[in-house]
Amino acid sequence: MSSAAAVAGAFLALLAAGYGLVALVARRMALYWFERLAASYLIGMASLSVVWIISSVLIPTIHPIWLTSGCSAVLGLAAWRCRVARPGDRPSGEAVGWATRVGTRAFEWPDVILASILSLEFLALTVASWRTSLGFDGVFNFEWKARLMFEHPAGQLPLPYLSDVSRAWSHPQYPLMVPFGELWVYTWLGRVDQAAIKMLFPLFFFALVAFLCGAVLRVAGRRMALASGVALGLMPPLTLLPGAASGYADVPLAAAVAGSVAFTFHALRKGDSEAVTLAGLLLAVATWTKAEGVVLSATLGVLGVLCLRLREGEQPPSISLRHSLGLVWMPAVAAVCWLVVQYRYGISAPDFVPLSARNVLDHIGRLPVIADLIVRELARPGHWGLVWPASAIAVVLAATGKQGLIASDRFLVGAIYLPLILYTLPFILSSWADVGEHVRSALPRLLVPLSPIALFFTVVTFCRGSYA
Amino acid sequence: MRAVESPRGLVAAGWLVLCAGFLYSGFATLRLYGQVLQESVVTGPFGTIDGFLKPVNLSSGSQLRLAVERAGWPSDADVVLRAPHEVLSRQDLYQVYYSTSYLLYPRRVWLDSPSASDGPTGRHESGSRRGSRYVVLIGSTNSLHHRHHPVSDMIALAAPP
């Protein structure tokens, strides 16, 4: 099998598994084709990684690739048969087959221009990914784990690696979804190839754009959706560094978080329980993608449940508490499993001193420095295109509007600003000699998952203002 | 002030901020893409690691791995990467250190350098490992001892006594 065919096979197998799971979870929900593709990519990668780990531990005599590929084929076929057998389960609204059509209005020239720019952005990112090397963390925090699993006879991450003090700098405590995606390509290819895995990352960016465009399309129309997608491609931290071209896990995390926020927002507006389940699954994916995914998932999950249940004076959603709690228990399962492994075999992160009252009191004086650096970063137009100041205007606009902050607004504002506040606190316990250097190095990455949500909230609020 | 009082004014101000910001970041993005397209293409299965070893004049990481294997260093060895302060910048030093650890796995690699203690990752217990028999030395040709096995003119393996 040629290398190109092997890589294509790896991607198709991921998508087939994800497509199957998404089809089983969201039978009636109207999803756009690009949303379904994006969800299939992320959920497929995460679910196959779980099958891989379980099979490599329980049946070490058989290489996990066989069982995992078998699962992928079965899920793909099951979804196909499910679709053929149950035409009544087609998505509602403008449903055609397995995906919702992107509007019925013909494309006008501004739409064509925006769609062309968006396509060019994808092309440029793919070329840039192909030409450049993986970033520092892309190799040492993620690709290395993939290589270790690939070289292990049973396809496992060697447990001594998790507690190896000489390699604490490579963050053994980071979760494994991105390394698994790379391992998946290596296994299909039959060798380690740092060039081949670069193709994974433009697809994560595509997933991020797809979720944002789908969410904006539902509330503000096709043109605004295309413009929002184009805007994402104009934020360097999302595209080049530490963006999708670098092999870092921030854009994959951003894609999972954006999908979860988009589907929770849809559930809050339309009372769609399947959207909540998809959002919960994507929060589990976020937890399995990067360490701060735990913070994001916990915040978004609890916030989502509260907003779904507490809607004073608003039409109550037709979503049961059981469904709502999916936003909490799905990421919690992912987090607890990984944290147990870390507790048993891992070592503490080298970048922070242990949490204790004394350490907090000793370092609390850093807070003004940290806050100052965060505000400066948020206002940096070369990174975020002033989306943060614009989102502050949107908060004022939403809060002072006739309706005030409705549940979906409260959810979005909380989803943007609560993690931002929570991010500030760990830097107080930074073990770096220069805390400013630590903040400057980590902050752009931490803002990658939050900036698309800030853009979404801003666009939704401004459009509502325009239409009013 | 009137714009702030009127929601329409506030919305217009918001759109203006958003458009101006994305115009600016758009130019920044184009400039970065321009830089990326001017750089040479990174190729090869270990292209990224090979690139990280350029500061010590190695064209490929396999040179270092093969040299260590030829020298017969055991796979459970503790290896010390020793670098005088002035030879490499801190960024290059850590780049080479991490790459060495990547290439020599499963051997544990420790950094012994004066600049390691003042860096963010200067907690590598290098002091306690200085007695290790397996040493990778970084330095100029003049500073490398005749008993060392050079891998390039910047990096050598110190033979165990």
Side-chain angles (χ1 to χ4, degrees), chain A residues 27-28 79-91:
Chain A
R27 292 185 175 197
R28 291 175 300 279
W80 181 255
R81 286 192 61 85
C82 176
R83 184 170 74 87
V84 171
R86 300 183 61 135
D89 286 341
R90 283 175 181 178

Side-chain angles (χ1 to χ4, degrees), chain A residues 106-143:
Chain A
F107 269 68
E108 294 171 11
W109 66 266
D111 304 329
V112 173
I113 290 174
L114 287 168
S116 306
I117 295 172
L118 193 55
S119 308
L120 269 178
E121 285 180 351
F122 284 132
L123 184 66
L125 183 62
T126 308
V127 171
S129 300
W130 186 252
R131 288 180 62 92
T132 54
S133 58
L134 294 168
F136 220 63
D137 289 5
V139 179
F140 298 122
N141 293 358
F142 302 106
E143 192 275 341

Side-chain angles (χ1 to χ4, degrees), chain A residues 131-132 134 136 139-140 143 147-148 166-167 169 192 194 231 234 236 240 350 381-382 385 390 397 432 437 462, chain B residues 10-11 14-15 21-22 24-25 29 32 36-37 39 42 45-46 48 90 97-98 101-102 105 107-108 120 123-124:
Chain A
R131 288 180 62 92
T132 54
L134 294 168
F136 220 63
V139 179
F140 298 122
E143 192 275 341
R147 186 199 128 198
L148 293 182
S166 78
R167 296 185 176 89
W169 49 265
V192 172
Q194 293 174 345
L234 300 179
L240 291 167
L397 198 66
W432 287 37
E437 191 185 345
F462 287 176
Chain B
L10 202 55
V11 170
W15 281 125
F22 279 118
Y24 188 94
S25 65
T29 308
L32 283 170
V36 166
L37 293 176
E39 288 170 8
V42 176
F46 290 96
T48 301
R90 210 174 85 188
Y97 166 50
Y98 295 163
S101 188
Y102 179 101
Y105 183 89
R107 299 166 191 89
R108 287 174 298 279
R123 294 169 295 281
H124 295 305

Side-chain angles (χ1 to χ4, degrees), chain A residues 316-361:
Chain A
S318 56
I319 297 173
S320 64
L321 179 63
R322 186 174 63 88
H323 273 108
S324 306
L325 287 176
L327 288 172
V328 175
W329 73 258
M330 288 189 210
V333 168
V336 166
C337 292
W338 185 237
L339 290 174
V340 165
V341 172
Q342 286 300 321
Y343 179 75
R344 179 75 181 79
Y345 302 101
I347 47 172
S348 61
D351 291 323
F352 299 97
V353 297
L355 177 64
S356 70
R358 184 178 175 81
N359 278 337
V360 171
L361 287 173

Side-chain angles (χ1 to χ4, degrees), chain A residues 264-289:
Chain A
T264 308
F265 180 82
H266 181 65
L268 282 162
R269 293 208 151 194
K270 302 288 179 189
D272 189 334
S273 58
E274 289 184 345
V276 178
T277 309
L278 266 184
L281 274 175
L282 287 167
L283 282 184
V285 173
T287 307
W288 188 223
T289 302

